[in-house]
Amino acid sequence: MIQMDRAPRLVATDLDGTVVRSDETVSPRTMSALKRLAAAGVILVGATGRGPRLLELCRNDVPSADFLVLGQGAFVYECRYDDTVVQLADRSVEGEVLHQALRLIEAEVGPVRALAEPADPARHITGDPMPDWPWTAVTLETAPRDLAFTGPMVKGYFVSDEYTGPELLVAAKDVIDPKLVTVTESGVGMLEVCPVGVTKAAGIQVVLDKFGIDWSDVLVFGDATNDLSMMEAAGHSVAMPNGHPWVQAAATEIAPAGNNDDGVAQYLEALLELL
């Protein structure tokens, strides 16, 4: 199962759909495997599309993580053993830029529902009604777009009733200049529109630069198209069997089981036997 020829210096894992199960929990077995990995001296990074307002939830899901990369790579935090958190990166995009991207996308695919996530955590995520919003712990507020898309933003969320998330991503890439914004999607049917150059790989690069680690010494786990940047950059990448076909095609190998059956833990347990 393990195809690596040497131990990694850094392991980065996606959260939702990878180590987080469908019931929104992380199993004791996965928690234990991640803890053992960190104890072996491997730097552990949690990399997620979740925004900074979900920082504490991320810390609870992967408490062994030395670093957390949030907001698709826009925010990087060093998590200290004394429970302090040090922010290493903070990227935002102006709401009007997101609104401009929204207009371009709607001109291509027709009407979408859109939300803007403010960089200021005191402001709610705001915009069109979103009845199928997947993160119930995050409060939404309905408001006209000219008010919602105002000020510095973490990112925008666009949903189409006619296109799946990956289909909307392909359509958006046809009309969006990458010098305007970066577009991605995280497997929940939404296009996510982020600051220019923001990817999970870019966020992990902040950690690599801190320690002088090369991507050839990195192992990553992921399942959705927003994981492609780190899957393609890493020396070794493992896709979840429940993951998107694009991610599986980009990976070095496939995990032995899905997120609901401790696939990452199973892989790491075998890896730890080799360390």
Side-chain angles (χ1 to χ4, degrees), residues 152-174:
M153 296 289 160
V154 173
K155 57 184 173 179
Y157 303 87
F158 303 166
V159 179
S160 169
D161 293 329
E162 304 297 329
Y163 293 76
T164 66
E167 289 170 345
L168 193 56
L169 176 62
V170 171
K173 285 188 173 183
D174 284 342

Side-chain angles (χ1 to χ4, degrees), residues 246-261:
W246 298 349
V247 178
Q248 294 189 17
T252 311
E253 56 183 314
I254 307 299
N259 61 316
N260 288 329
D261 296 302

Side-chain angles (χ1 to χ4, degrees), residues 107-126:
E108 178 72 7
V109 304
V112 302
R113 287 170 282 138
L115 293 168
E117 179 174 357
D120 179 359
R123 294 178 59 193
H124 293 314
I125 298 177
T126 306

